[in-house]
Amino acid sequence: MSHIWIDACAVDDIDEEDLIRFDHGDQTYCIYNTANGFYATDGYCTHEEEHLEYGIVMDNIIECPLHQGQFDIPTGKALGAPVCVDLKTYPVKIENERVLIKLAIAVQSDGPEQQ
Ligand code: FES
């Protein structure tokens, strides 16, 4: 497993105190523009299969649209019932007005290991 920076969107693509959905491979993520900067988490709520793209961003908190479970965006921490499992978070950096997120990718092997 290796990590690479993926270009997700332009800084301007996300309004302040809002988020967008970002799909890459067979995974889905949310990217947030908060008063404290840009962050990225898994796209689905950890409570049920509900995407957070239509959730509400309030300061550093994302509220799930289905049962109003809340997570701390920078840490992914679940803030109370009904959510109890933290959201996975991903490193984010800004370069040339683009938002990049750091994702793990499986590294292809070149074949059987040589002795
Ligand atoms: S699905 Fe998100 S709080 Fe229930």
Side-chain angles (χ1 to χ4, degrees), residues 25-75:
D26 58 358
Q27 300 295 314
T28 183
Y29 307 92
C30 285
I31 303 175
Y32 307 83
N33 180 2
T34 77
N36 297 314
F38 288 83
Y39 297 95
T41 70
D42 273 341
Y44 281 108
C45 183
T46 60
H47 181 226
E48 288 180 10
E49 282 275 298
E50 178 69 10
H51 208 287
L52 295 169
E53 65 180 312
Y54 299 117
I56 300 171
V57 176
M58 300 168 290
D59 295 326
N60 275 352
I61 293 170
I62 172 68
E63 183 179 275
C64 177
L66 194 55
H67 307 114
Q68 290 71 53
Q70 296 185 339
F71 300 91
D72 179 67
I73 293 170
T75 63

Side-chain angles (χ1 to χ4, degrees), residues 5-16:
W5 289 98
I6 303 286
D7 185 325
C9 63
V11 166
D12 290 346
D13 288 342
I14 319 175
D15 293 337
E16 275 182 41

Side-chain angles (χ1 to χ4, degrees), residues 6-10 13 20-22 31 98-101:
I6 303 286
D7 185 325
C9 63
D13 288 342
I20 62 166
R21 174 179 181 148
F22 172 64
I31 303 175
R98 303 290 303 178
V99 182
L100 287 80
I101 72 172

